[in-house]
Amino acid sequence: MKNTLITGYDRYYRQVLVKEIGGQGQQKLKKSKVLVIGAGGLGAPVLFYLAASGVGTLGVVDYDTVEMSNLQRQILYKTKDIGQIKVKAAKNTIKTLNPDVKVNTYNKKIITDADTNILSEYDIIIDGSDSIKLKNLIARKCVKVSKTLVTGSASTWEGQLFIYDPNNSVSCYSCIYGNQSNNNDNDCSHLGIVGTVTGMIGSMMASETIKNIVGLSSSLTNNLLIYDGLFNEFRKIFVPKNTTCRSCNYNL
Ligand SMILES: [Zn+2]
């Protein structure tokens, strides 16, 4: 039977071969702690890929149970998981894929600043939630506690991705959508979503997280990436600092 070292070597071998990652990058991944808020269409592929890549600790925040209508895109869950608490089902799948990953679960809704205190315990925050109000709350907290934030969203055939890096950002997520803080609509439930689009955006969110952990810079800091799956187009839009943004100007 192979010992743990050899098993780990085999598991990550193809990734360690990538010159920007290597053995040192793999060690950084192992030591990293990543919090994923929302274990849905975006959170599921993010968690799957980060667990597969060897991120040492994953935190999973969600308050829902698995429903039949989730299975079209939330690839962590299986038909037998319907009715189960999402964070528990997510942990089971992650552990089956990679038992070496430590998984912390938070079966709760993040509503207040007090709830966001969990963020301080992690190195990188990933926002896969579907509420603009919550996204602004998380963005504000990440600015306040100087945490890298990877924010994604998806609806119909389109997706967006933006990164806040406290060391390199001039703008934050709320500089774009901060004035919509009272809009709590979930576009996905009203307009629909193509599962592969959440897969695309979720995979890119995981990829940007891996890059950040191993010390590579991102071109999505200060730039909003917009993906149009219907026409297969990517656009990057520069996001200047919004001088009226409540999150990064007043440090509330
Ligand atoms: Zn801002």
Side-chain angles (χ1 to χ4, degrees):
M1 191 175 155
K2 291 179 177 180
N3 65 34
T4 312
L5 185 68
I6 299 297
T7 308
Y9 180 81
D10 284 348
R11 184 184 285 269
Y12 306 118
Y13 177 59
R14 299 293 172 92
Q15 186 168 279
V16 169
L17 282 178
V18 177
K19 68 176 175 20
E20 289 84 3
I21 297 178
Q24 282 191 339
Q26 196 60 49
Q27 283 299 316
K28 287 179 183 172
L29 286 166
K30 188 179 178 185
K31 287 177 186 163
S32 66
K33 297 180 75 178
V34 179
L35 183 71
V36 179
I37 301 170
L42 295 170
V46 168
L47 287 162
F48 236 149
Y49 272 116
L50 291 184
S53 73
V55 167
T57 304
L58 287 169
V60 190
V61 184
D62 207 296
Y63 61 92
D64 262 335
T65 53
V66 179
E67 296 176 17
M68 179 71 91
S69 64
N70 298 153
L71 302 183
Q72 158 256 5
R73 64 197 179 284
Q74 299 181 17
I75 56 171
L76 280 175
Y77 313 117
K78 304 165 188 68
T79 305
K80 71 174 177 58
D81 295 328
I82 291 169
Q84 263 211 57
I85 292 168
K86 269 192 182 175
V87 293
K88 274 191 182 175
K91 183 174 181 175
N92 285 342
T93 306
I94 291 166
K95 284 295 205 181
T96 305
L97 170 65
N98 190 346
D100 295 335
V101 178
K102 186 182 178 196
V103 183
N104 301 325
T105 58
Y106 306 91
N107 182 28
K108 67 185 298 180
K109 200 168 190 170
I110 290 186
I111 301 169
T112 64
D113 282 335
D115 295 327
T116 56
N117 285 338
I118 303 165
L119 276 57
S120 306
E121 297 166 27
Y122 291 83
D123 304 317
I124 297 179
I125 313 304
I126 297 186
D127 178 9
S129 73
D130 53 12
S131 149
I132 297 261
K133 189 175 179 180
L134 178 56
K135 283 179 142 37
N136 279 315
L137 175 68
I138 294 164
R140 192 173 74 231
K141 181 69 177 184
C142 283
V143 171
K144 194 169 183 179
V145 297
S146 292
K147 296 284 181 184
T148 298
L149 170 65
V150 179
T151 307
S153 60
S155 176
T156 64
W157 293 94
E158 293 187 8
Q160 297 187 355
L161 180 51
F162 184 78
I163 294 168
Y164 171 76
D165 174 350
N167 297 317
N168 296 302
S169 285
V170 296
S171 53
C172 76
Y173 178 82
S174 297
C175 286
I176 315 169
Y177 294 115
N179 61 350
Q180 296 181 26
S181 59
N182 292 324
N183 179 352
N184 202 20
D185 281 349
N186 174 352
D187 281 351
C188 169
S189 60
H190 294 137
L191 304 172
I193 178 70
V194 181
T196 50
V197 173
T198 53
M200 289 278 295
I201 300 296
S203 296
M204 285 191 284
M205 291 165 79
S207 187
E208 291 297 322
T209 303
I210 290 168
K211 281 165 60 183
N212 187 284
I213 291 167
V214 303
L216 298 168
S217 62
S218 172
S219 66
L220 301 183
T221 305
N222 305 319
N223 289 289
L224 178 71
L225 181 77
I226 300 173
Y227 169 65
D228 182 336
L230 206 49
F231 294 95
N232 257 318
E233 286 179 350
F234 287 94
R235 280 185 295 150
K236 266 194 277 187
I237 299 172
F238 175 68
V239 179
K241 187 178 183 72
N242 180 342
T243 54
T244 62
C245 173
R246 292 176 72 241
S247 294
C248 63
N249 288 296
Y250 308 111
N251 205 17
L252 296 171

